[in-house]
Amino acid sequence: MTSSAIPTPSGMNRLWYGGDYNPEQWPREVWDDDMRLMSRAGVTVATIGVFSWARLEPRDGEYDLAWLDDLMDLLHATGVRADLATATASPPKWLIDKHPEILPVTQDGTVLSHGGRQHYRPASAAYREHATRLVRVLAERYGDHPALEAWHVNNEYGCHVSRDYSDDAAAGFRAWLAERYGTIHALNAAWGTAFWSQLYTSFDQVDPPRVTPAGTNPTQTLDFDRYSSDELRACMRAEIAVLREVTPEIPVTTNFMGFFKGLDYWTWAGDLDFVTDDHYPDPEDPEAYVLAAMTRDLMRGLGGGRPWILMEQATSAVNWRDFNAPKPAGMHRLLSLQSVARGADGIMQFQWRQSKAGSEKFHSAMVPHAGEDSRVYRETEALGAELASLSHLRGTRSEARVAMVVDWPSWWALEQDSMPARISYVEQLLRWYRALHRRGVLVDMVPAAGDLDGYDMVVVASALALSDDAVTALAAVPARGGQLVVGYQTAVLDEHAHARLGGYLGDLQQALGVWIEELWPLRSGALAGVAAGPVSEWGEHVRVRDAEVLATFSGGDLDGLPAITRRADGDGAGWYVATAPEALGELVERVLDDAGVVWSSLPAGVEAVERGGHRFVLNHSSVPVEVEVAGRSYGVPSRDAVIDQL
Ligand code: GAL
């Protein structure tokens, strides 16, 4: 266990606890009440200014910072640290009127208007210029303020507009392509433009993948996904460059959105001093805690194992689903503890005080409409006290022996049109993750080209469009004694989304001892052998070259053909799984045993995680449970937790 706490200019030794605080929505006297309630609740950090641009700069180049001075001083006097936003997520109306070309354009050509938020094109020079100008003003004014703990750059980049099809985007895309390919000839080769007469003779002819009559070029779309992630990242980097120049000692972050398809967070995380995440599990979904756990593990992975901060969650209901169930008593605490157990050094919520007006007035907050005499505020206080008692966990890390590959380009490619079947990438990850989670196994999320050396078991649930280098790195796992588990729709394509001819899989053919003759989407079927029972979604005609067949399809068109194989290589092995078995857990247990990873059998709804010498046993279910983890027994009431010092 090594320590690597979130950088802190103040030497803060508590976990972050607090939320988005928008006092500009309230009269000044409410602020004093906020301070009283924050103190009572043990709030340590408030995120401020997230949507304050119009208030901070009411007219072009005219700044009104007096209220923010007052707020920073007030927070400081209360002992609350400021996570100060750069306020660039919602451009003011004067800027849109001055530069209407800032507005983003959807794939079908609709121009999005002012009146919501995030109405800017990432590639707009005017947007970037005005945003960085504001950032400089804030950095110069507050860089030395004693309340300043961190910079919160923009907010949830890409949440509403991760793909912009404007003319600025077209120009940006062309420049990005010229950089990537060098010549139009290379682009034509990569995009396969011999197909359907799509040949280009100059970069100027290339457009974003706007709405087309039929199957848009898949590589054009994939490159546009890459470009769009990079362009938004360039917005973030432009702000960070100003902050690092003016206030080099203040750490910077931006809030991620978990498994958010729009942005390749592996390429983003390195620009930040620490990773933060916003996550809103659906209280109505009894399995939501599993995706939540996987998301926490992704955040730990994005930070290279270092602690991260849960930047937003709801204390109870959100307001943006079709039906917004409140969180029943205990759920909010449990999901918070889950984050701490999985590496979070802070638990923040959206938002501090529930809005009276605007489109989020039905979104819960730490202080609800009802005020302090309420279940939600009492839970706010109790959670603050509990987190204070866990301060010693700050900076501690956990070591996982199992890794799972997460690859955004493969996600983008898998969910394109014109594929053999509609498959959800996150569902595929979850299927494997769930089986490991039910066995109390901590999983690190890693990039496809990441360092896999420390792991005894590497799971590639699916990674459709990998480069040769990434495939070769994965293929090396069994030879060095690791267990490599590969699921279907892996390395079927290369990074340009071209088919890998001669049986797909590339170098993995050798490591797995198999090749694929034919892809065979399968709505339902059955297996005989390991993980016997029903299967769904997928099948294949797998040809075995040099592997043991552990399970075959049983019945149907694929009857008797291999479905699960294993090729031993010394202590290591390459496992291939060509379908989605319901009894995946049985297979996972075998691989864990071979990897020498200790596991426990946990009942549904329960998770067990260790961090900093503590074992968190969390019961998300609505019934009490008795569980045994690594030789210790725990009785955990429904929707409750046991934190056991080891
Ligand atoms: C996030 C956003 C917050 C708030 C919240 C509501 O997407 O960053 O500003 O809108 O959702 O759930």
Side-chain angles (χ1 to χ4, degrees):
M1 189 173 78
T2 49
S3 175
S4 51
I6 306 247
T8 165
S10 65
M12 174 169 153
N13 58 9
R14 297 268 299 274
L15 299 175
W16 285 36
Y17 181 56
D20 277 43
Y21 179 37
N22 299 301
E24 63 271 43
Q25 296 173 11
W26 296 93
R28 180 62 178 76
E29 58 273 18
V30 176
W31 302 15
D32 293 323
D33 201 45
D34 288 330
M35 295 306 116
R36 179 181 66 84
L37 293 175
M38 282 188 191
S39 297
R40 250 176 61 187
V43 165
T44 58
V45 181
T47 299
I48 56 172
V50 175
F51 295 106
S52 304
W53 192 344
R55 184 74 192 266
L56 292 167
E57 189 182 1
R59 278 165 291 277
D60 193 1
E62 258 179 53
Y63 300 95
D64 171 10
L65 305 178
W67 68 274
L68 189 52
D69 294 351
D70 184 13
L71 177 61
M72 290 288 282
D73 293 348
L74 195 61
L75 289 173
H76 185 57
T78 312
V80 173
R81 314 283 310 146
D83 169 41
L84 179 54
T86 57
T88 53
S90 191
K93 185 63 173 30
W94 60 258
L95 180 53
I96 300 306
D97 289 343
K98 186 177 167 201
H99 289 287
E101 80 281 5
I102 282 179
L103 294 172
V105 179
T106 61
Q107 192 175 19
D108 66 0
T110 304
V111 178
L112 301 176
S113 307
H114 174 271
R117 63 177 179 186
Q118 216 172 77
H119 42 277
Y120 61 87
R121 333 178 151 168
S124 159
Y127 167 73
R128 224 174 274 186
E129 182 196 317
H130 285 81
T132 49
R133 188 177 73 176
L134 176 65
V135 174
R136 186 170 293 279
V137 168
L138 293 174
E140 283 171 354
R141 177 81 152 220
Y142 299 107
D144 290 332
H145 196 286
L148 184 62
E149 183 69 15
W151 289 114
H152 182 104
V153 177
N154 195 278
N155 192 66
E156 289 192 343
Y157 276 109
C159 171
H160 308 292
V161 183
S162 71
R163 300 292 178 271
D164 163 49
Y165 297 82
S166 66
D167 291 343
D168 284 332
F173 188 36
R174 287 172 198 136
W176 184 94
L177 291 166
E179 172 85 24
R180 180 174 173 88
Y181 293 110
T183 65
I184 197 68
H185 173 73
L187 178 141
N188 279 311
W191 286 19
T193 55
F195 181 81
W196 282 357
S197 185
Q198 291 170 357
L199 196 77
Y200 298 99
T201 53
S202 111
F203 282 105
D204 297 339
Q205 296 175 322
V206 182
D207 287 324
R210 294 181 173 126
V211 175
T212 51
T216 312
N217 184 307
T219 317
Q220 178 183 8
T221 304
L222 186 58
D223 274 347
F224 190 66
D225 288 328
R226 291 184 171 112
Y227 155 74
S228 299
S229 177
D230 284 359
E231 192 71 86
L232 264 174
R233 178 176 167 227
C235 287
M236 176 184 74
R237 292 177 70 137
E239 293 196 16
I240 290 178
V242 175
L243 296 171
R244 294 222 206 276
E245 178 201 324
V246 183
T247 63
E249 66 294 345
I250 305 296
V252 299
T253 190
T254 191
N255 42 348
F256 289 164
M257 293 168 284
F259 282 88
F260 177 65
K261 186 177 173 184
L263 306 178
D264 181 350
Y265 285 146
W266 292 122
T267 66
W268 283 57
D271 291 322
L272 305 174
D273 291 310
F274 57 100
V275 167
T276 67
D277 189 45
D278 300 351
H279 194 69
Y280 292 91
D282 184 353
E284 275 205 304
D285 173 2
E287 284 262 301
Y289 71 96
V290 183
L291 174 60
M294 184 165 90
T295 305
R296 322 296 190 202
D297 290 350
L298 175 65
M299 292 305 134
R300 206 180 53 249
L302 287 166
R306 285 173 298 145
W308 54 280
I309 281 177
L310 179 61
M311 189 58 97
E312 285 185 24
Q313 62 172 341
T315 54
S316 187
V318 299
N319 69 311
W320 39 261
R321 294 194 172 96
D322 290 343
F323 186 89
N324 299 296
K327 282 179 169 169
M331 184 182 276
H332 182 53
R333 169 186 177 233
L334 219 46
L335 289 164
S336 303
L337 291 177
Q338 177 193 60
S339 300
V340 174
R342 294 180 182 278
D345 268 6
I347 301 297
M348 305 285 284
Q349 358 288 315
F350 179 86
Q351 62 178 326
W352 165 251
R353 187 180 281 278
Q354 188 167 6
S355 296
K356 194 175 163 202
S359 66
E360 291 186 324
K361 57 184 169 294
F362 290 118
H363 193 291
S364 62
M366 298 169 83
V367 181
H369 285 158
E372 65 195 275
D373 181 12
S374 59
R375 169 185 80 97
V376 167
Y377 180 73
R378 278 188 287 277
E379 287 190 4
T380 293
E381 272 191 348
L383 184 57
E386 185 162 22
L387 292 174
S389 76
L390 295 172
S391 300
H392 55 282
L393 289 182
R394 201 174 173 282
T396 58
R397 300 171 64 138
S398 310
E399 303 297 330
R401 295 179 60 195
V402 178
M404 198 160 169
V405 169
V406 177
D407 184 55
W408 263 266
S410 290
W411 184 354
W412 295 329
L414 184 75
E415 294 183 1
Q416 286 193 350
D417 296 337
S418 317
M419 292 292 292
R422 278 204 190 283
I423 291 179
S424 154
Y425 180 68
V426 172
E427 274 307 315
Q428 242 182 312
L429 295 181
L430 261 178
R431 203 175 278 135
W432 286 93
Y433 184 84
R434 194 178 290 124
L436 290 156
H437 184 265
R438 271 296 279 278
R439 284 153 188 85
V441 174
L442 186 68
V443 180
D444 277 356
M445 300 290 151
V446 295
D451 179 6
L452 303 172
D453 276 0
Y455 298 103
D456 298 307
M457 175 172 169
V458 176
V459 179
V460 189
S462 144
L464 181 67
L466 294 178
S467 68
D468 288 349
D469 285 351
V471 174
T472 307
L474 290 172
V477 170
R480 60 127 177 104
Q483 306 298 317
L484 173 72
V485 186
V486 176
Y488 53 87
Q489 290 288 65
T490 295
V492 170
L493 307 179
D494 66 14
E495 75 271 32
H496 300 305
H498 293 203
R500 291 182 177 279
L501 303 182
Y504 307 123
L505 295 171
D507 273 4
L508 284 169
Q509 284 192 10
Q510 207 273 322
L512 301 170
V514 301
W515 58 283
I516 301 163
E517 182 179 326
E518 196 171 358
L519 305 176
W520 203 286
L522 193 68
R523 290 194 192 282
S524 62
L527 283 193
V530 171
V535 299
S536 57
E537 189 167 84
W538 196 258
E540 273 165 15
H541 184 173
V542 175
R543 299 281 299 272
V544 174
R545 197 170 276 141
D546 134 33
E548 178 191 353
V549 176
L550 301 178
T552 54
F553 289 100
S554 159
D557 298 327
L558 299 174
D559 188 41
L561 292 176
I564 303 178
T565 60
R566 174 179 180 273
R567 176 180 179 273
D569 188 347
D571 290 341
W575 309 66
Y576 187 62
V577 184
T579 185
E582 223 171 88
L584 191 61
E586 188 188 324
L587 173 68
V588 163
E589 288 174 6
R590 258 197 80 167
V591 186
L592 286 168
D593 286 343
D594 284 7
V597 176
V598 178
W599 52 272
S600 311
S601 205
L602 302 174
V606 176
E607 66 183 308
V609 196
E610 285 172 31
R611 179 182 180 197
H614 293 67
R615 177 174 297 132
F616 290 72
V617 185
L618 310 174
N619 179 9
H620 299 271
S621 79
S622 48
V623 291
V625 292
E626 295 286 330
V627 286
E628 196 164 306
V629 183
R632 290 200 193 192
S633 304
Y634 301 93
V636 195
S638 73
R639 239 175 242 124
D640 209 339
V642 170
I643 305 175
D644 183 18
Q645 190 152 0
L646 299 174

